[in-house]
Amino acid sequence: MLAKRHPAMVDSIAGAVTVKSLDLYYVVASDAQIPLKGEHGFGLYFHDCRFLGGYRMALAGLAPIVLASTAQKGYAALFELTNPDLQTDQGQSIPKDELGIRWERILDAGQTCVREVMTIQNFGHEAHSFPLTLHFRARFEDIFNVRGLVQQDLGRPERAAWREGRLHFVHHGADRLRRTATIAFSPLPDATHETTAEFRIHVPPGDTQTIAITIELNECSEEAEANHLNQQPTVALDGLAGNLQAGSEEWLERHTKLDSDSLLLNGIMDRSLRDLAMLRSDLGSREYFAAGVPWFVALFGRDSLIVALEMLAFLPEIAAQTLRLLAGYQGRRADRWREEQPGKILHELRVGELAGAGNVPHARFYGTVDATPLFLMLLSRHAAWTGDLGLFRELQEPVERALGWIAKAGDDHGDGYLKYRSPSEKGLVNQGWKDSADAIVRADGSIARPPIALVEAQGYVFAAKHAIADLYERIGERNRARELRGEAEKLRTRFNRDFWCEDLDTFALALEARGRPVAVVSSNPGHALWTGIADRGKGRRTVRRLMQDDMFNGWGVRTLSTAERRYNPVGYHLGTVWPHDNALLAAGCRRYGEDDAALRIFTAIAEAAMHFRHSRLPEAMAGFPRKDFQVPVHYPVACHPQAWAAGAVPFLVTTCLGLEPDAFANMLRIVQPRLPDFVNRVALRGLRVGEASADLEFRRTDGGAEVNIRKTSGQLTVEVRG
C-alpha cells in the first residue's frame, strides 16, 4: 500500500555525493563507497531501478580514509582517499597516509555506463605491495522497494558470473524486461571470488598504478538479443569529461546571466543552474526537470510545473516542453486504480519493474489535486514572458478539459472548492504538495478526514481562471473570459469567508469533511497569498503571523507551527523548512506589500545554502531554531539536488526585483525593486521578454533599489515603478 509519500524509510543520505546525467544517476557515501549491507539509498540507478546496490573498495581488507570529495560538476565525482595503517599477508607494514588514491567517476549517459579511474600513488620511500579488492552487489531493486514503500521481490535473478575477466549480473523482470549490469576492468583482476575482483598492487616509491573500471547497464525486452559490453575501460577520462563539460556550459549559456557583488548570491545561482542542468531528463523529444535525486528522478506534474514556473525569467523554453509533455499525458478516462479522470494532469510517471508489471499504478498515476490548476498557471505565465499565443491555441482543448475537471473535482456539495479523496487503497492519502499521510492534521493532532479542500489549491484555481481568462480575451473570446473571471471572483468571496480563522490571524490549512476548517497555523496560506486570492487585510495579517518565531526559524518559514500538537522538526511536512515553499511565500509577501518579510526570507534561505555542500539547497531542512545550532540541520533523507529547491533562489530574485513581463505589449515592468541586505548590486544580462531582451543593473538604496537600463535589443520598453 502506498498511502504516504515520505521520501524513504531508509538510513540518512544527508552526506551523499550525487551525480546525474539524463536518466542515469549515482548516489554514493562521502568515502566513495556504497554499503554492501543495510537499508540505505546509495547506489547506481537507471529507469527507477537500483542496478548496483553495493560497491566496496578495500586495501588489504581495510576501508580507505576519505580526505576530500566533490561532485560540483554534476556529471562527475572525484574522491581523494588515503590508507590506514596496513599490514599485508607478506608481513609488510604500510604506514598511514603513504598511499594516495584518486578515484574519478564520470557518467556516460549516451552509453548508459559509468567510467571510473582509480589512481594509486606511493608517496613513501619504499615500494609497496598489497591487495586491493572491489566487492559488488547488484539486486536490481525497484525504487519503491529501495524507499521501503513496497515489500515485493519480483522477477528472477541469475547467479552472478565471471566471463573473460568481466563480472555479469542479470535480472529477468516481471515486466518482461531483462536488466543487466556488466563490469569490466583494465588491467584484468589477478583473482576473482563470487562478486569480488582482487588486484595485487605493486607501486614503486613515487610511482603510480591505475585501475580503470566500466559499469555498463542495459535494459531490453526478453525477446531482444543480449547486449554485451562493448566499451573497453580507459585510463584517460579527459575526452569524455571535456565533451560533458562543453555540453553543460552550452546549456547554461542559454540562460539569463546574473552577476552581483555578493559571492554568496553568485554561488547559489551558479549551483542552482548547474543542479537544474543535472536534473534535465527527457521523454521522447520533450525535456523536463526531474523532481529530485535519488527518490524522484521522474516526471512529476506538480514539481515539474513549479520549477518551470520558477525559472521563467531565466529559461522559458523548458516551460513549453513541460506543458506539451503533460498535455500528452492528460487524463482521458476514469480509472480508479490510477486515479485518472478526464482532464486531470498527471502526478507521477514511473518506468520501473513494479510499475511496468502493474503492481503499482505509477506507470501513469494521477493522484494529485493541484497539478491541473498549476498547468494552467504556467501556461499563462509562459505567455506573459514570451508573448506567444500559439502555445495556448495549440493546447486550447487540453485547457478546456482541465477547466472541466476542476469544475467537477470533489465538489459533491456544490460549494465550488477543489477537493480530493483517494478512491484507491494504493493511492496517496493526501494530494497537495504536502502529500505524506500525516501532513493534514487538526489542532488536536488527529488526521483530517477527506474530502479535503486545501487552502493553496483554491488559490491556484483562482489564479488559473483569471490567467486563462486573459488569454481568452486576447484571442477574442470575451464571453469565455468573462465567465472564468466571474467564477474566480465568486471563489474569492467564498474563500475569504470560509477559510479565514480570526483567532489564528491566518487562513486554515484546509477544509475537511463537512466543510470544517482544519484550524492550524501552517505555511500553506503563503501559496494562497502568491495567487492573490486573499483580501488585502487578511493577506497582510497572514504574513505577519507566518513571520512569528513559532513559524520562522531563522532559515525560513516552517511547514507547521511549533505551537501545534503535531509539530515535529524532522516531520516531512510537520515542521521542516522547504526552500520552494518559502520562495512562493515570499512572492505572496510582496504581493501584499510586505516587502521586508520577503527580503527576510530571501536572506534566510541564502544564508542556509552556504552551509550545504557546494551551496546546494536541499529539498527540506529540519525545523530546529537557528539560535540553537547556528547552522541548518539536515533533513536525513532529503533529495539533493532537488528541482524546485534549485529554482527557489532564481524565483526569489525574480520576485524581489519586481520583474513583471507583458510580452504582448513589448513591455517589462519593474515594480518596486528591492535587494536583500547581503546584496548591493545585481546585474541581469540577456533577460528575454518576447523576442526582445534587456541588460539591467539594480543598486540597493534606502528602502528600495535604483534601476539602470544598460541595454535593450528588439522592441522592448522597460518601465520602472516605485
Side-chain angles (χ1 to χ4, degrees), residues 93 104 231 234 272 277 353 362 391 454 487 490 516 559:
S93 295
E104 300 171 84
Q231 302 295 323
T234 174
S272 291
E353 183 179 3
H362 295 70
L391 184 60
L454 292 168
E487 292 171 3
K490 288 177 183 177
R516 291 174 300 207
T559 44

Side-chain angles (χ1 to χ4, degrees), residues 288-309:
Y288 67 95
F289 292 122
V293 176
W295 315 119
F296 306 126
V297 180
L299 176 64
F300 276 78
R302 176 194 308 118
D303 301 56
S304 299
L305 288 163
I306 285 179
V307 67
L309 194 150

Side-chain angles (χ1 to χ4, degrees), residues 542-600:
T542 295
V543 171
R544 292 163 191 165
R545 179 64 189 88
L546 297 184
M547 296 305 294
Q548 292 179 19
D549 289 347
D550 64 314
M551 285 297 289
F552 185 82
N553 81 334
W555 305 115
V557 175
R558 296 179 177 94
T559 44
L560 190 68
S561 164
T562 60
E564 298 298 346
R565 173 68 185 81
R566 288 298 295 273
Y567 167 73
N568 180 348
V570 290
Y572 194 43
H573 297 121
L574 295 173
T576 46
V577 174
W578 291 60
H580 92 281
D581 186 30
N582 276 264
L584 297 180
L585 197 158
C589 295
R590 285 277 281 164
R591 184 156 197 152
Y592 287 84
E594 298 289 343
D595 293 357
D596 289 343
L599 295 174
R600 191 179 174 201

Side-chain angles (χ1 to χ4, degrees), residues 421 440 442 447-452 511-514 516 518:
R421 183 201 329 242
I440 311 303
R442 304 183 183 113
I447 305 297
R449 280 183 49 213
I452 290 172
L511 301 183
E512 61 170 327
R514 300 182 181 179
R516 291 174 300 207
V518 181

